[in-house]
């Protein structure tokens, strides 16, 4: 089981590290001229001074800039005389320092207030400090946490953010962080990727590491007649699978026994569907999904268990003819004609999507050789196959990681076909036709993969890469399950 390493811990300030939420509440009450109530919390807690000042201005008729200045002064005065660290806060900061885990202070308070608090806590405890003055948008926008991660040089998915308000939690989760919530004045509900505890006094670096999400690295790979066009294909396939450190592989063109043989050699689990599709997994397969007797084209899936999580993984192979890129490049078909010729593939995918359905709470990965370009890559044609997957709630992991199709085309067809194989010398259209789609997961990274420098067809038998497609590999984070209560 692979968990992401803990790269940094990002701390909110007010109410999380120091007991200032009470002081802020009192300062707002003073400006409002009345006691605050439960209904006022969303406008007061976790909000920047300017937000609360505008809210007070609407209620009191006083100018917002005047109220903001008064709130700044009153709160700063209260902080200087009444700051108290939350129980366990300093001990946790010291423990993280001993274990060389970087920390950052990420607050919606202005720099002047943060500096006052840092004088009490010790500014040297934090490698980075981000305040309301440092980003265009502050909490609940993700900007402050993203800025802290950039300054630290860490991945938000490998960080824990410690927060005490729903506003701060929203900011950290939008940035992609795992969250440890320590409510101060208002309760916080549980959610995937979020742990709620009563206080910091029993939180340790080890506990924070245990919150990190598990990694799931998924590959889509068309084996090209099982790999038989290349010498020693099985040994080369095993070497590639080992070197890429993948967890689950959706296979197409298995040529019968490839899934069983690869899984047996790796000590993995496998599922074979017909003579063309298979899935191999280092994690246990708990159920087979779809039609086990599917034909050469179609889709099949499995449910796997990953560290207490269930994930459905499907592999699909869609019909290869008529092939849109050929009809576009060689025949000059219009966009409408190209779309009209996608009917067989579209029907095949819709059948797969119907079989996949929607299992509440179970994320889904759909991989495969779709034999169709993506509408995200070629805006001049609304390619219907990938659009249908998108309409069913599936996101394209490669385009999530690489939004610009010009800068990162991600071509998977073809690393060995540079010229069309009819002997005409025409360049082979290069396209992204292999996909790792998902519903309900967080993408950490996605890339295409080819080993070595494959020689072009037909001189391929000694290639290190035993396929005519590039593989696609996406690394997902499996968010932790909701945890509430306790310390």
């Amino acid at each position: 089981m692979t968990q992401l390493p803990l790269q940094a811990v990002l701390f909110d300030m007010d109410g999380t590290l120091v007991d200032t939420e009470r002081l802020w509440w009192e300062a707002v009450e003073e400006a409002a001229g009345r006691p605050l109530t439960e209904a006022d919390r969303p406008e007061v807690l976790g909000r920047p001074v300017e937000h609360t000042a505008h809210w007070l201005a609407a209620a009191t008729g006083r100018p917002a800039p005047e109220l903001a200045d008064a709130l700044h002064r009153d709160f700063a005065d209260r902080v200087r005389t009444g700051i108290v660290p939350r129980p366990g806060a300093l001990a946790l900061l010291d423990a993280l320092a001993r274990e060389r885990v970087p920390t950052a202070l990420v607050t919606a308070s202005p720099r002047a207030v943060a500096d006052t608090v840092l004088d009490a806590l010790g500014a040297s405890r934090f490698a980075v400090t981000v305040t309301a003055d440092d980003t265009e948008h502050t909490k609940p926008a993700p900007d402050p946490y993203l800025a802290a991660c950039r300054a630290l040089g860490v991945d938000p998915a490998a960080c824990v953010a410690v927060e005490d308000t729903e506003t701060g939690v929203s900011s950290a989760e939008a940035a992609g962080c795992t969250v440890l919530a320590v409510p101060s004045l208002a309760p916080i509900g549980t959610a995937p990727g979020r742990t709620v505890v009563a206080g910091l006094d029993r939180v340790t670096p080890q506990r924070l590491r245990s919150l990190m999400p598990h990694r799931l690295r998924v590959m889509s790979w068309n084996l090209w007649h099982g790999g038989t066009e290349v010498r020693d294909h099985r040994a080369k396939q095993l070497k590639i699978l080992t070197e890429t450190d993948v967890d689950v592989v959706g296979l197409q063109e298995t040529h019968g026994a490839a899934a069983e043989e690869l899984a047996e050699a790796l000590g993995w689990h496998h599922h074979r569907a017909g003579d063309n599709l298979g899935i191999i997994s280092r994690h246990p397969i708990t159920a087979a999904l779809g039609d086990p007797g599917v034909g050469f084209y179609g889709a099949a899936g499995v449910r796997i268990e990953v560290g207490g999580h269930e994930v459905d993984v499907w592999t699909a192979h869609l019909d290869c003819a008529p092939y849109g890129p050929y009809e576009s490049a060689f025949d000059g078909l219009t966009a409408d004609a190209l779309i009209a010729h996608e009917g067989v593939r579209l029907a095949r995918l819709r059948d797969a999507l119907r079989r996949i359905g929607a299992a509440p709470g179970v994320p889904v990965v759909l991989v495969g050789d779709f034999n169709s370009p993506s509408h995200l890559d070629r805006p001049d044609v609304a390619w219907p196959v990938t659009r249908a997957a998108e309409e069913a709630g599936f996101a394209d992991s490669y385009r999530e990681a690489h939004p610009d199709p010009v800068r990162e085309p991600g071509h998977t067809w073809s690393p060995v076909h540079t010229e069309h194989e009819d002997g005409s010398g025409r360049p082979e259209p290069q396209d992204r036709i292999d996909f790792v789609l998902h519903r309900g997961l967080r993408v950490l990274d996605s890339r295409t993969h080819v080993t070595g420098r494959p020689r072009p067809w037909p001189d391929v038998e000694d290639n290190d890469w035993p396929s005519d497609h590039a593989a696609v590999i996406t690394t997902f984070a499996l968010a932790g399950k909701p945890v509430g209560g306790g310390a």
Side-chain angles (χ1 to χ4, degrees):
M1 181 57 52
T2 302
Q3 272 187 300
L4 297 180
L6 177 62
Q7 294 183 351
V9 182
L10 316 174
F11 288 93
D12 171 57
M13 185 178 76
D14 302 310
T16 300
L17 290 177
V18 289
D19 188 12
T20 52
E21 293 288 14
R22 173 182 52 83
L23 304 179
W24 173 244
W25 190 265
E26 293 170 357
V28 177
E29 284 187 326
E30 181 72 22
R34 66 171 176 83
L36 299 179
T37 69
E38 182 72 24
D40 300 318
R41 291 185 188 275
E43 310 299 336
V44 177
L45 296 184
R47 294 290 190 174
V49 174
E50 288 70 23
H51 176 94
T52 303
H54 280 286
W55 169 71
L56 286 172
T60 65
R62 294 171 60 188
E66 175 186 311
L67 285 163
D69 288 343
L71 288 170
H72 275 301
R73 289 194 304 272
D74 190 2
F75 182 55
D77 288 343
R78 293 173 188 270
V79 166
R80 277 189 285 271
T81 58
I83 187 171
V84 177
R86 291 287 301 269
L90 297 183
L92 177 57
L93 286 167
D94 291 342
L96 290 167
R98 286 193 298 271
E99 298 194 17
R100 300 182 183 277
V101 178
T103 58
L105 188 72
V106 184
T107 177
S109 291
R111 172 64 61 180
V113 173
D115 287 344
T116 301
V117 173
L118 286 170
D119 287 342
L121 289 178
S124 62
R125 295 180 187 275
F126 304 96
V128 167
T129 303
V130 177
T131 74
D133 302 333
D134 300 323
T135 57
E136 181 179 357
H137 304 288
T138 189
K139 303 174 186 179
D143 304 39
Y145 280 102
L146 293 174
C149 290
R150 285 194 298 270
L152 290 169
V154 297
D155 186 338
C159 297
V160 173
V162 186
E163 274 283 356
D164 76 306
T165 66
E166 286 279 7
T167 301
V169 166
S170 296
S171 174
E173 290 180 342
C177 301
T178 295
V179 170
L180 178 71
V182 191
S184 55
L185 295 181
I188 298 175
T190 60
R194 181 192 309 172
T195 298
V196 182
V197 297
L200 295 176
D201 48 320
R202 288 196 289 171
V203 176
T204 63
Q206 182 179 3
R207 176 75 186 278
L208 294 176
R209 288 190 178 94
S210 73
L211 304 181
M212 297 307 297
H214 291 93
R215 182 207 79 175
L216 183 68
R217 184 168 290 157
V218 181
M219 173 189 276
S220 180
W221 199 6
N222 182 313
L223 295 181
W224 191 23
H225 306 155
T228 55
E229 301 290 344
V230 176
R231 282 198 189 100
D232 300 322
H233 60 278
R234 195 69 81 226
K236 291 175 179 177
Q237 291 166 345
L238 289 168
K239 184 173 185 289
I240 290 163
L241 293 172
T242 301
E243 290 177 346
T244 54
D245 193 27
V246 291
D247 299 306
V248 185
V249 187
L251 301 168
Q252 308 91 42
E253 293 197 31
T254 56
H255 211 56
E260 297 100 312
E261 293 176 9
L262 289 169
E264 182 178 352
L266 293 165
W268 286 13
H269 310 270
H270 79 277
H271 171 60
R272 172 178 173 173
D275 291 328
N276 182 48
L277 296 174
I279 296 172
I280 60 174
S281 170
R282 71 167 75 239
H283 301 296
I285 293 174
T286 60
L289 308 172
D291 179 5
V294 64
F296 188 83
Y297 294 117
V302 298
R303 178 162 293 176
I304 62 172
E305 191 275 325
V306 186
H309 302 268
E310 289 184 326
V311 181
D312 289 350
V313 180
W314 287 72
T315 182
H317 193 192
L318 306 185
D319 303 60
C320 67
Y323 187 53
Y326 289 167
E327 294 185 316
S328 174
F330 302 151
D331 303 331
L333 265 60
T334 65
D336 288 344
L338 292 169
I339 292 169
H341 286 189
E342 290 293 315
V344 173
R345 274 184 290 274
L346 182 58
R348 189 88 63 183
L349 181 69
R350 282 178 172 161
D351 178 69
L353 294 172
R354 179 184 60 78
R355 293 174 184 272
I356 292 170
V362 180
V364 184
V365 182
L366 169 60
V367 313
D369 170 10
F370 284 12
N371 276 309
S372 169
S374 170
H375 68 289
L376 300 176
D377 299 351
R378 290 186 172 204
D380 54 320
V381 180
W383 297 99
V385 172
T386 54
R387 284 175 63 90
E390 184 177 81
E391 290 165 0
F394 283 90
D396 185 328
S397 65
Y398 187 85
R399 276 290 159 252
E400 282 191 71
H402 309 284
D404 187 342
V406 176
R407 181 178 301 174
E408 298 283 353
H411 294 154
T412 60
W413 180 266
S414 165
V416 300
H417 290 289
T418 57
E419 293 184 356
H420 195 48
E421 57 183 323
D422 65 358
S424 65
R426 295 178 293 182
E428 178 76 2
Q430 300 295 304
D431 279 279
R432 188 170 70 99
I433 63 173
D434 300 81
F435 303 95
V436 176
L437 311 180
H438 75 97
R439 190 170 65 197
L441 293 169
R442 189 197 318 170
V443 175
L444 299 179
D445 176 69
S446 187
R447 55 193 170 90
T448 60
H449 184 78
V450 172
T451 299
R453 295 179 178 272
R455 285 173 290 278
W457 175 263
D459 301 318
V460 299
E461 63 181 7
D462 290 319
N463 281 349
D464 291 329
W465 183 250
S467 177
D468 56 351
H469 288 245
V472 184
I473 302 173
T474 296
T475 305
F476 296 103
L478 295 179
K481 295 184 177 181
V483 180

